[in-house]
């Protein structure tokens, strides 16, 4: 019966997970690579061009992320229009202003959400307002900080370092967990993640950003290592945060935008933590 099966899975802590995040075996990895290559090319083009191109790309990705979040918690009746408008306002504040401007824009979002919630057909109430503001705090502030990061001196290199550390670390954790995973990291949130995979991902992410720093005088090996370890530690927290929300919503993937990788939130969950972390760590280092 269902209950004994759950007991057997939770009792088998010493056995490696059969399906790490994202599912299956070699065919699944191949599908991931097929999707990742063009996505990576678009991301690198956005980062290299910067300015309005980067802003527009971030705007589109963030709106998709908000749509996926609000769809997951549709039962709460989130105030979509207010969330989308507030998100674009946060990006504008980042592009034309600074951290203080973003804070002012975020504070202004609360009365905006309330006004739209009070006039939304069917109402919204505390659950709808909470999910709407969650999207603005989680997705809106994260992408606003990504815009701030790109606008810094050597911003293109910094965003590249964030993407490098985040995705190389995630790949290392995925493959390391499949090969060596024995102890589950957080069975109640994401049962397929392992302590061994986490450790391998952290080491690989740190090494990747440190290596990138060695070839760039403005970054350097020491700062590269510090930035790398901060990215490596923030990324799995962002991943677990999204997994926690998905488990509460009862869904496996937030969408299908990235094929085998899932939706935009599935692919960018860690970036939304690492971009903010990198901005403040680099601000302290420079």
């Amino acid at each position: 019966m269902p209950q004994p099966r759950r007991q057997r899975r939770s009792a088998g802590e010493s056995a490696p997970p059969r399906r790490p995040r994202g599912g299956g075996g070699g065919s699944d990895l191949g599908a991931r690579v097929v999707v990742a290559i063009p996505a990576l090319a678009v991301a690198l083009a956005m980062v290299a061009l910067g300015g309005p191109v980067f802003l527009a790309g971030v705007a589109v990705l963030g709106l998709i992320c908000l749509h996926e979040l609000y769809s997951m918690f549709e039962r709460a009746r989130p105030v979509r229009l207010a969330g989308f408008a507030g998100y674009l306002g946060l990006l504008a504040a980042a592009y034309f202003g600074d951290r203080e401007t973003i804070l002012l824009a975020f504070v202004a979002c609360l009365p905006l959400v309330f006004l739209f919630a009070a006039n939304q057909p069917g109402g919204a109430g505390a659950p709808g307002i909470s999910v709407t503001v969650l999207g603005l705090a989680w997705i809106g502030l994260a992408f606003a900080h990504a815009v701030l990061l790109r606008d810094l001196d050597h911003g293109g290199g910094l965003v590249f370092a964030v993407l490098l550390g985040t995705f190389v670390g995630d790949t290392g954790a995925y493959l390391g967990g499949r090969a060596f995973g024995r102890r589950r990291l957080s069975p109640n949130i994401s049962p397929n993640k392992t302590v061994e995979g986490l450790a391998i991902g952290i080491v690989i992410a740190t090494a990747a950003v440190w290596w990138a720093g060695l070839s760039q005088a403005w970054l350097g090996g020491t700062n590269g290592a510090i930035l790398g370890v901060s990215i490596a530690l923030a990324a799995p927290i962002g991943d677990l945060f999204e997994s926690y929300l998905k488990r509460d919503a009862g869904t496996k993937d937030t969408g299908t935008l990235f094929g085998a990788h899932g939706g935009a939130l599935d692919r960018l969950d860690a970036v939304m933590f690492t971009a903010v972390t990198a901005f403040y760590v680099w601000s302290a280092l420079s």
Side-chain angles (χ1 to χ4, degrees):
M1 302 301 291
Q3 182 62 30
R5 282 198 296 269
R6 285 198 296 268
Q7 289 175 345
R8 283 195 296 270
R9 285 197 297 267
S10 61
E13 293 296 328
S14 61
R18 297 182 62 184
R19 295 185 62 193
R21 186 169 71 92
S27 61
D28 177 70
L29 181 60
R32 284 170 169 260
V33 172
V34 168
V35 174
I37 291 174
L40 179 62
V42 172
L44 291 177
M46 284 171 48
V47 173
L49 293 171
V53 174
F54 185 77
L55 179 67
V58 166
V60 171
L61 287 172
L63 289 173
I64 294 172
C65 287
L66 281 174
H67 167 71
E68 291 177 353
L69 175 66
Y70 295 158
S71 296
M72 273 201 303
F73 294 101
E74 185 64 41
R75 66 183 184 274
R77 303 189 306 277
V79 193
R80 288 176 177 265
L81 186 57
F84 296 154
Y87 171 71
L88 295 177
L90 287 170
L91 290 189
Y95 189 72
F96 295 106
D98 52 20
R99 284 179 287 181
E100 288 72 21
T101 313
I102 292 175
L103 177 60
L104 177 62
F106 182 71
V107 170
C109 285
L110 189 57
L112 175 71
V113 172
F114 164 66
L115 290 174
F116 276 86
N119 293 280
Q120 177 172 271
I129 290 175
S130 298
V131 171
T132 305
V133 175
L134 169 64
L136 291 169
W138 176 28
I139 300 167
L141 291 179
F143 282 121
H145 278 80
V147 172
L148 288 180
L149 186 67
R150 179 60 184 84
D151 286 344
L152 293 176
D153 292 337
H154 309 292
L158 289 169
V159 175
F160 174 76
V162 168
L163 297 179
L164 177 68
T166 302
F167 293 126
V168 168
D170 180 68
T171 302
Y174 175 80
L175 297 176
R178 287 176 61 88
F180 305 107
R182 293 295 182 272
R183 288 165 290 188
R184 300 189 182 193
L185 176 64
S186 182
N188 294 328
I189 297 177
S190 187
N192 293 320
K193 292 180 175 61
T194 63
V195 174
E196 292 81 5
L198 173 68
I200 292 169
I202 289 174
V203 171
I204 290 178
T206 303
V209 180
W210 168 77
W211 172 81
L214 292 178
S215 62
Q216 302 176 82
W218 63 268
L219 180 54
T222 301
N223 284 348
I226 295 172
L227 186 64
V229 74
S230 67
I231 292 170
L233 293 174
I237 299 174
D239 196 8
L240 286 172
F241 181 79
E242 192 231 8
S243 295
Y244 180 82
L245 294 179
K246 287 196 298 184
R247 181 164 289 270
D248 182 60
T251 185
K252 179 180 181 295
D253 293 323
T254 61
T256 59
L257 179 66
F258 291 103
H261 292 276
L265 273 178
D266 294 316
R267 189 66 286 179
L268 299 173
D269 51 4
V271 174
M272 288 187 284
F273 275 57
T274 56
V276 177
T277 301
F279 175 80
Y280 287 106
V281 168
W282 185 254
S283 297
L285 290 173
S286 59

